[in-house]
Amino acid sequence: MRISILALAICGLTAAGCFSYSAPAPPPTTMTAWSPTGGFTFNSGGNCSGQVGLLSGYYTVTDPCFTSSYNVVVCTDNTAAKPVSCTPSIGSLSISGSGNDSVSYARLK
């Protein structure tokens, strides 16, 4: 009787070890592709969003996550319902709005 209980316990522990869950690997943060006509490097590892306070209606965010003027960026005025303009370029984001308002930004693509 003791041997059968011991055998069932060992089988149970072995099965429990086989069915353990491990979290999936994180997605890659950098992808590089090459072709005869050119290539690209895409870096998605950084958190390219934030909140800044305008200084006399303007602010420039310097961050390498802004890779070109084709980046899709969303900006919104947190202080009031006023228009905000965001212009991405290589290495920076230019924001213009009203006075010293607080503005949130996020790069989507």
Side-chain angles (χ1 to χ4, degrees), residues 6-96:
L6 182 62
L8 285 173
I10 290 174
C11 289
L13 290 174
T14 303
C18 292
F19 296 116
S20 65
Y21 172 78
S22 60
T29 57
T30 302
M31 294 171 36
T32 302
W34 180 88
S35 73
T37 59
F40 74 93
T41 299
F42 176 75
N43 185 355
S44 65
N47 183 9
C48 200
S49 63
Q51 182 176 344
V52 295
L54 299 178
L55 301 172
S56 299
Y58 297 99
Y59 195 87
T60 300
V61 177
T62 303
D63 195 322
C65 70
F66 298 108
T67 56
S68 78
S69 60
Y70 296 109
N71 292 151
V72 177
V73 180
V74 175
C75 294
T76 185
D77 192 322
N78 300 325
T79 307
K82 297 178 184 174
V84 178
S85 172
C86 291
T87 308
S89 61
I90 297 174
S92 67
L93 174 69
S94 299
I95 304 172
S96 61

